[in-house]
Amino acid sequence: MKTTACPLDCYDACAVVVDRESLKMTGKEGHPFTQGALCSHLYRHIKEVERIKVPRVDGKEVSMQEALEAAAHAIKDAGEDFLLYRGSGNVSFMQNITEHFVAAYGGWTTEGSLCDGAGQAGIEAGRGVSLVLPPEAIKEAEAVIVWGRNISVTDPHMMNLIKDKTLIVIDPVKTKIAREADLFLQIRPRSDFYLAVLLSRFMFMEDMEDKEFLKERCEDAEWYYDFLRTFRVRTSLEKCDISLDDLGDLLYQMQNKKCVFLVGAGVQKYSIGDQVLQAIDGLAAVIGAFGKPGCGVSFLGDSMAGFKNPINYSPKRVAKPIAPFGRFKTVLVQGANPLAQMPGLNKVEEEISRVENLIYFGLYENETTKKARIVIPACDFLEKEDLRLSYGHPYVQPMPKIKEAEFGISEYELTKYLFDALGCKGLEDEKWYIDYMLKQCIEDGDLLKSPAYEKYPYEDEFQTDSGNFEFLEEYEDDFDDEEEGLWLLTPKSPHSLNSQFRRETHIFINSELGFKDGEVVKVSSEHGEIELPVKVCDDVRADSVLIYAGTPSVNRLTPHIMSLMGKSACYQEVKVKVERV
Ligand code: SF4
């Protein structure tokens, strides 16, 4: 038996025990987060997808050596007009090593995110750094506010930690966890900022603020109260589509309780995403819910916080959500599927069609491999040495090589080849990078923890310039949310991970809109249109439609823009029309 970690892009980063003979995988008993269980992505879905087995150049199957030579030639031919575009379907540490090549070679890479960049920017503005909230802090909570996070899908192991607590769910969709909640507020999409501001204001009005925390640990709390009062109560309630009674119920459920907020990426898939997270953090600061047992705000933490990174990154970067592929002669796409997952897909297709040499390096066939000139299969997580950090918990897990690679090569092997072929200097042995990271970890019995680990994050100080929590200072929003149309919601689906595995193919619509199950409809936005069959679902509000992320072509509807801060994709900053075909 060998222990490794699940490589999939998921909060839980499970510890996995692998039988070396049968390769059967089970969740590691006793791991503080995994607790012996894995989800169906790892024990079933990952085995169902079509792996890339043979390298290709110009549509012909070739040897690995020929594919690597073609890739090196295409990169050399491009000179500095070379872009590395990496994805996040698999998130182990050594996947970053290709960045080291790009830095040494002098090419371009990306910055920002298709996922959590806006939220992270908001958190960093308030707290300085986005630390992971450890399970031990969550366990001690008395009330858990699950805000825009469908935890039974995105981090199923969290369910164990929040049993027997007051459960409040805030979401535009009636999720599975919403059905189990003591209080569920089905707010209007893109109104999370207003709810956070309203709640913060009422905490002051109802004398529920933590005066000592505000005085000792926050900057300009009095000014913040004045700022909160610039938002009219009635307007904010209307924006959220909730009543004063709903707000009262929420305050009542939180009153005198140690509160943990579990915030999902959906709340920040907008241009204002940073302000949403800073406002939710601001609410937590108003009630003193940082640095104490049973308190905190969990978002996608910065898994590299506290580490000195041995990998160099190119200073030449383009914003990931709006990457101008057409500017580059050669683009290396690594473990990503921009021709499905990037917002503003019509524009992305046009950009990528202008790339002379599109190189794909990854595990699975997808929309992007079909357009690639050079396709290089990657090996899977059992076939290489690696390291798993996590944005959902503080544990660091070595990932030893468990079997020989059948089809592909590792990120390190690709990097080593390119360093040698293109005469670059400065690459150490693979083990050196892994050891460099491991040496920085905190040992705790047989567990390793991130060097940034704090049982109660921000207990002593925030990592801002002042050392205190810093509130949002202004609110800026140009989007017209009164614009006609239905809100588009694009959450993660239970059966797919980004564009991997069993992708959904339907649009989910409230019965009030009058469509029938199976009926094909045209869905259009100012960015494009698609046709999809309907599933009637009253868990979705009647002013919204839901199309899961990963549904083929959904991104023809989404905008080719990025957030005001954090260079993040704004998948939900759009209204759509639905018509019978
Ligand atoms: S819950 Fe997440 S980390 Fe755990 S096995 Fe499933 S996908 Fe992997």
Side-chain angles (χ1 to χ4, degrees), residues 6 8 10 12-14 38-39 41-42 156-157 388:
C6 175
L8 299 175
C10 167
D12 291 6
C14 287
L38 302 177
C39 81
H41 284 330
L42 195 63
H157 295 81
R388 181 70 157 95

Side-chain angles (χ1 to χ4, degrees), residues 58-256:
D58 294 324
K60 287 202 201 88
E61 293 190 351
V62 297
S63 68
M64 182 62 81
Q65 182 64 25
E66 286 169 312
L68 289 172
E69 281 170 12
H73 185 267
I75 293 169
K76 189 171 179 195
D77 191 35
E80 292 190 6
D81 285 340
F82 163 60
L83 171 70
L84 170 67
Y85 182 95
R86 294 197 305 117
S88 63
N90 291 269
V91 290
S92 55
F93 174 72
M94 286 305 287
Q95 294 188 349
N96 294 285
I97 195 70
T98 44
E99 298 278 359
H100 204 66
F101 162 70
V102 180
Y105 176 71
W108 291 71
T109 187
T110 61
E111 61 183 341
S113 163
L114 298 188
C115 178
D116 61 327
Q120 179 160 346
I123 287 174
E124 287 171 357
R127 309 186 215 161
V129 65
S130 176
L131 296 179
V132 163
L133 188 64
E136 45 273 39
I138 298 170
K139 268 188 202 157
E140 293 177 80
E142 292 161 333
V144 176
I145 299 106
V146 180
W147 197 323
R149 182 152 148 188
N150 188 5
I151 55 174
S152 55
V153 168
T154 57
D155 42 339
H157 295 81
M158 184 64 80
M159 303 294 281
N160 291 328
L161 298 179
I162 64 168
K163 273 185 202 147
D164 307 323
K165 303 182 190 305
T166 299
L167 178 61
I168 299 161
V169 174
I170 299 165
D171 205 300
V173 180
K174 191 171 190 179
T175 55
K176 185 164 174 258
I177 181 107
R179 293 175 204 289
E180 296 163 22
D182 297 289
L183 177 67
F184 170 47
L185 289 188
Q186 191 165 16
I187 61 170
R188 181 172 283 138
R190 208 178 183 276
S191 66
D192 309 82
F193 173 83
Y194 290 96
L195 183 57
V197 159
L198 263 178
L199 276 167
S200 302
R201 180 172 175 178
F202 273 77
M203 291 295 176
F204 279 105
M205 287 163 60
E206 299 297 317
D207 211 19
M208 287 167 66
E209 81 275 27
D210 184 331
K211 293 183 181 62
E212 189 187 337
F213 189 88
L214 287 168
K215 183 160 176 274
E216 303 294 331
R217 304 291 315 276
C218 301
E219 286 291 292
D220 299 325
E222 281 176 25
W223 179 90
Y224 191 57
Y225 184 39
D226 289 340
F227 172 74
L228 296 172
R229 287 191 297 183
T230 62
F231 296 89
R232 294 185 56 203
V233 171
R234 187 190 293 179
T235 312
S236 298
L237 288 169
E238 282 169 9
K239 292 256 186 206
C240 301
D241 194 21
I242 60 169
S243 67
L244 209 47
D245 285 348
D246 292 330
L247 199 67
D249 290 346
L250 188 44
L251 291 172
Y252 174 75
Q253 294 287 0
M254 292 171 67
Q255 194 168 24
N256 298 325

